Amino acid sequence: MNEVSHASLANAIRALAMDAVEKAQSGHPGLPMGAADIATVLFTRVLKFNAADPHWPDRDRFVLSAGHGSMLLYALLHLTGENSMTIEEVRNFRQYGSKTPGHPEYGHTPGVEVTTGPLGQGLATSVGLALAERMLAAEFGDVVDHRTYVLASDGDLMEGVSQEAIAIAGHLKLNRLTVLWDDNGISIDGPLSVSDSVDQLKRFEACGWNASRVDGHDPQAILAALEAAQNSDRPTLIACRTVIGFGAPKRAGTAKAHGEPLGAEEMAGAKAALGWKAEPFEIPADILAVWREAGARGAKAQAQWEAKLASLEPAKRAEFLRRQQGRLPAALREVVAAEKQRLAASGVSIATRKSSEAALKILAPAVPELLTGSADLTGSNNTKVEATPAISPGNYAGRYIHWGIREHGMAAAVNGVALHGGYIPSGSTFLAFADYCRPALRLAALMGIGSIEVMTHDSIGLGEDGPTHQPVEHLASLRAIPGLLVFRPADATEALECWQAALEERKAPSVLALTRQNLPPARKSYVEENLSARGAYELSPASGPAKVSLFASGSEVEIALAAQDILEAEGTPTRVVSVPCFELFLRQDDAARRTVIGQAPVRVAVEAGIAMGWDLFLGREGAFVGMTGFGASAPYKKLYEHFGINAGAVAQAARNGLKGV
Ligand SMILES: Cc1ncc(C[n+]2csc(CCOP(=O)(O)OP(=O)(O)O)c2C)c(N)n1
Ligand SMILES: [Mg+2]
């Protein structure tokens, strides 16, 4: 039946993009018009997908890293027949509540694999998608057998995170990852030559990739390059030379095509040049039919895959499905309960990075989907345990990833692994370098995915390495990201509970902030409930109706408990509230929150960080003991004294408060 030309298929994308941007009077027509030929070849000839089931686990992943070109993706979803992407949705481009927001949003629009828009993130996240596919295949065999395709723009390749991403992908030989570069030589400020002269092919080759250049408007050349990529032993870059705004008489090939509506005249000129005669938002039936056929092509492959899945040995199939569906193993709660009972009796002082390692020794065998890794700080982050052997290039049977010194690339790839399904991925670094991960953490929170980052050396308590390495504003700045769970456990029991809470929370990312220095046990008796999962709870009650409430997280809980002893000895009934996670506390209902905050007239919080955010517990009257500037290089006990973060200071702050009562 295929009498419809390639050009007509591609022009359908161009027309929808022009129409939608024009109607919204906002958006980016240049990329969809320029990359329409690439996308048409990929979706009609190569990509394994079934538009009727965008969640089919063995589909190829397509990531539009250049999220500003969102209309390309929405046009593809509509044309191939993804159910929810009706023409109405396309008409409502960028309007409130539509499935067609300004940039593609995962979880909002079926068929969007990754939220993109911040340039570079999509590309870096795709490394995790491609890695998860190889690792899952190593575990489950050819029931996992798909590829990852990325459409990246100049901006994606200029962003620093792209270097981390392509370096680790090349090193790991992720040969099922293919990047199609929309090589149009244009960015917002004009020709790329105003700001860039990198030889991208050489750059990718130097990172262990195949790289070739094709005419991005020649379907045969694009297809040949995509086919060559299928047989590669390394990841592939295909530089597709394109003209931004292809077809627009005046704006094609210029920055003017990038991010504004073409206007009636230019649009009419473009449609005339392309030979597109249909009304706005109308796709001629013969053209739509071919697109829908492409969208349905994967149904057969999916049926074959279902048969393959059915023929798996039953226990393996059940495990595969459990992992795909994100259901945790029943063993998790059992091992946590047993370990908590052991810890309640143990009484040892230990750094929370070490108690996190101890937790992993229990959790990793019980939760086989848990992956760990580190950005070259394995011995400091304590995230590698016996049950998590490292993967290596070409050998993906393992559960630990040496990311190298690439925190941003790690955090983005961890998101990709989480998005892929089948794993609960975690990375690790020092908390001071959370800033290097921040764009990916923010996207994880926005996407609502359960990535985990272990961040050790969480305060001046790390000591001698000094202020470059001592987090001060980091806890506050991470807590500022909506939905991100920032855990700061106070002892071994809380560390285990925080790990459990992070594992059980599959719709929000978590950061576990852990100490370098030893901490005594704060919890001395066994409670079955995960108290840390409440976010805050009364750890130590007052001897009578409390006059003072002390709030603390992590290593400063010890200080709060010592201050409580001082105040109680002076006859002031004082309680201590441990605050392992603000965000989970905020999820409690009003009454529960009020109970934890309590009625005591004086409130003091202590944390070896800045005060920002603690008003949640302190209100306007409370006092804060913490940091107001950067740390210093010295043994940590000296630093706590120097910066006045100690039991005496907390007790004094309480006494000062009591004077005013
Ligand atoms: C991290 C980040 N910085 C800046 C932007 C704003 N921005 C959107 S597109 C773009 C560059 C456009 O050039 P290119 O990536 O080549 O896309 P094209 O214009 O070719 O479609 C910029 C700076 C962004 N989306 N993300
Ligand atoms: Mg460009």
Side-chain angles (χ1 to χ4, degrees), residues 31 68 117-119 153-156 159 182 184 186-188 244 258:
L31 184 146
H68 61 275
L119 290 165
S153 67
D154 300 305
D156 283 306
E159 289 292 349
D182 182 28
N184 61 20
I186 292 289
S187 68
I188 291 176
I244 190 170
H258 163 83

Side-chain angles (χ1 to χ4, degrees), residues 290-612:
V290 175
W291 270 114
R292 291 288 151 95
E293 200 182 318
R297 194 184 64 232
K300 202 167 133 201
Q302 184 169 5
Q304 283 163 353
W305 176 81
E306 306 275 2
K308 210 190 287 181
L309 180 66
S311 70
L312 269 190
E313 191 246 314
K316 203 170 182 184
R317 186 177 66 232
E319 177 66 359
F320 180 81
L321 290 173
R322 180 187 74 75
R323 300 259 297 261
Q324 284 299 324
Q325 291 155 6
R327 283 183 283 117
L328 284 165
L332 172 61
R333 293 196 159 213
E334 291 156 27
V335 299
V336 168
E339 178 69 357
K340 272 170 69 174
Q341 289 177 52
R342 200 187 66 75
L343 287 171
S346 96
V348 222
S349 283
I350 179 174
T352 48
R353 63 177 172 139
K354 291 295 286 180
S355 30
S356 161
E357 179 182 31
L360 284 172
K361 284 185 182 157
I362 307 288
L363 296 170
V367 184
E369 59 267 47
L370 174 59
L371 304 183
T372 61
S374 173
D376 203 48
L377 289 168
T378 300
S380 300
N381 299 144
N382 303 85
T383 40
K384 189 165 187 306
V385 296
E386 203 185 325
T388 60
I391 61 160
S392 60
N395 177 7
Y396 308 104
R399 294 173 57 187
Y400 191 86
I401 298 131
H402 291 286
W403 293 105
I405 307 99
R406 302 184 181 98
E407 295 84 3
H408 195 180
M410 168 180 74
V414 161
N415 287 348
V417 175
L419 286 162
H420 181 278
Y423 290 111
I424 299 177
S426 66
S428 60
T429 183
F430 288 157
L431 182 62
F433 307 135
D435 292 336
Y436 280 52
C437 305
R438 193 175 182 87
L441 290 175
R442 181 175 194 269
L443 274 190
L446 177 58
M447 290 190 278
I449 58 173
S451 308
I452 300 173
E453 295 294 339
V454 174
M455 296 191 166
T456 66
H457 299 60
D458 70 347
S459 76
I460 53 166
L462 67 85
E464 292 84 345
D465 271 346
T468 54
H469 283 50
Q470 291 163 355
V472 172
E473 77 284 22
H474 297 75
L475 290 166
S477 85
L478 291 171
R479 287 171 183 147
I481 298 179
L484 174 65
L485 308 185
V486 181
F487 290 101
R488 193 163 185 254
D491 71 353
T493 298
E494 281 198 3
L496 179 60
E497 286 184 342
C498 291
W499 257 114
Q500 182 190 11
L503 289 172
E504 289 180 348
E505 175 55 67
R506 291 294 83 225
K507 292 198 185 314
S510 297
V511 167
L512 286 101
L514 306 173
T515 66
R516 172 173 185 267
Q517 75 274 28
N518 285 341
L519 303 177
R523 288 262 288 280
K524 298 188 177 91
S525 56
Y526 172 69
V527 182
E528 190 189 345
E529 188 195 341
N530 185 334
L531 295 175
S532 301
R534 294 187 191 176
Y537 64 95
E538 187 175 87
L539 172 68
S540 178
S543 58
K547 289 240 171 65
V548 176
S549 285
L550 301 178
F551 303 88
S553 82
S555 38
E556 285 65 67
V557 168
E558 177 187 4
I559 292 172
L561 289 168
Q564 179 189 35
D565 288 345
I566 296 174
L567 292 163
E568 286 279 357
E570 292 170 2
T572 306
T574 301
R575 59 196 281 273
V576 172
V577 174
S578 179
V579 186
C581 180
F582 280 33
E583 191 77 20
L584 288 181
F585 179 67
L586 282 166
R587 286 192 198 168
Q588 305 293 314
D589 63 33
D590 233 33
R593 269 153 56 174
R594 262 183 236 278
T595 307
V596 171
I597 287 172
Q599 302 293 323
V602 170
R603 301 183 212 165
V604 180
V606 52
E607 184 174 77
I610 61 167
M612 190 183 288

